[in-house]
Amino acid sequence: KEVVTTTKEELYKELSDAIVSCKKDQVLAAVEKARGELEAPDIIENGLAAGMNEVGTLFERGKLFLPHVMMAAEAMQAGVDVLKDDMPESSEKAASVIVNGTVEGDVHDIGKSIVSTMLQTSGFEVYDIGRDAPVADFIAKIKETDANMVGISALMTTTLQGQKEVIEALEEEGLRDKVKVMVGGAPATNSWAKKIGADCYAENATEAVNKAKELLL
């Protein structure tokens, strides 16, 4: 009986395609299959998150609609939950608390939710305050959780200013020195991050995790 071996690339593609299919059972089956061959962080980053990024792209192009995106996100979360016990434990990382949200007036949620999930699975304690979040909500949650970092997402040019407002509020509250600021979202750039005094800009979820590790660990 011939043994069919699946390459890493094929496993990643299966995971990614399962997410794009928006079917939870397909995602869980792909995760179970991959578990024997791949490390949990790789499954999440190169498989599930890659699929979720693809879902985001298809959504922007009008090929998928919001219910699909919600189903895909739910399926990804189910896959991540299965892998939680396989994640490498790191005690020092758990000390880092990140508040993540999309600014007021902006109802985009997908990218920010992917970032939250990826940060969580990388060992950070994440408090996602959702979309359309007023500056006061960011500040209140940062104080409540004693956060070390805040992720501020804005997906429209018109709401980009909200990122600057959160930073200004942190300064007014005397919190800016103890809280790192990461900004992201389609219209944000490195130069915008520098201009408003953020600590870093992340283009996607993988970069967000890497930047958070650089700044916090």
Side-chain angles (χ1 to χ4, degrees), residues 102-122:
T102 304
V103 295
E104 189 167 16
D106 201 320
V107 294
H108 293 80
D109 218 8
I110 318 302
K112 186 259 311 148
S113 299
I114 298 172
V115 170
S116 289
T117 304
M118 293 276 285
L119 286 167
Q120 227 160 356
T121 53
S122 301

Side-chain angles (χ1 to χ4, degrees), residues 76-97:
M76 174 167 174
Q77 193 55 60
V80 168
D81 287 344
V82 169
L83 294 164
K84 280 217 167 108
D85 296 339
D86 302 348
M87 292 300 283
E89 278 299 319
S90 165
S91 52
E92 77 175 312
K93 268 195 247 181
S96 297
V97 177

Side-chain angles (χ1 to χ4, degrees), residues 9-186:
E9 272 57 45
E10 286 169 333
L11 286 169
Y12 290 146
K13 183 159 176 12
E14 257 176 58
L15 288 157
S16 174
D17 289 350
I19 290 283
V20 176
S21 79
C22 309
K23 294 190 174 75
K24 194 187 291 186
D25 51 355
Q26 210 166 312
V27 171
L28 293 175
V31 167
E32 278 308 327
K33 183 176 172 186
R35 272 173 98 179
E37 308 285 329
L38 304 166
E39 295 294 317
D42 292 337
I43 294 176
I44 292 165
E45 198 159 319
N46 302 316
L48 302 179
M52 207 57 218
N53 286 331
E54 175 68 16
V55 167
T57 306
L58 291 168
F59 175 67
E60 279 159 25
R61 292 191 191 146
K63 299 271 198 296
L64 286 178
F65 301 98
L66 200 55
H68 299 121
V69 177
M70 304 317 280
M71 281 160 66
E74 205 176 290
M76 174 167 174
Q77 193 55 60
V80 168
D81 287 344
V82 169
L83 294 164
K84 280 217 167 108
D85 296 339
D86 302 348
M87 292 300 283
E89 278 299 319
S90 165
S91 52
E92 77 175 312
K93 268 195 247 181
S96 297
V97 177
I98 303 175
V99 168
N100 198 26
T102 304
V103 295
E104 189 167 16
D106 201 320
V107 294
H108 293 80
D109 218 8
I110 318 302
K112 186 259 311 148
S113 299
I114 298 172
V115 170
S116 289
T117 304
M118 293 276 285
L119 286 167
Q120 227 160 356
T121 53
S122 301
F124 295 101
E125 196 176 320
V126 181
Y127 294 90
D128 191 322
I129 58 169
R131 58 192 182 178
D132 194 15
V135 172
D137 287 13
F138 278 96
I139 301 299
K141 190 50 94 173
I142 288 165
K143 284 182 172 172
E144 179 199 320
T145 58
D146 209 13
N148 316 81
M149 180 179 236
V150 60
I152 318 168
S153 177
L155 276 293
M156 305 188 297
T157 325
T158 48
T159 54
L160 208 48
Q161 202 58 28
Q163 295 181 332
K164 186 167 179 267
E165 286 162 16
V166 174
I167 294 174
E168 284 165 357
L170 284 171
E171 281 163 6
E172 281 162 28
E173 295 283 339
L175 294 167
R176 183 64 189 93
D177 292 344
K178 64 183 277 288
V179 180
K180 300 285 184 204
V181 177
M182 173 157 59
V183 296

Side-chain angles (χ1 to χ4, degrees), residues 198-212:
D199 293 286
C200 68
Y201 155 75
E203 191 178 355
N204 53 42
T206 305
E207 199 174 295
V209 170
N210 293 336
K211 294 277 173 79

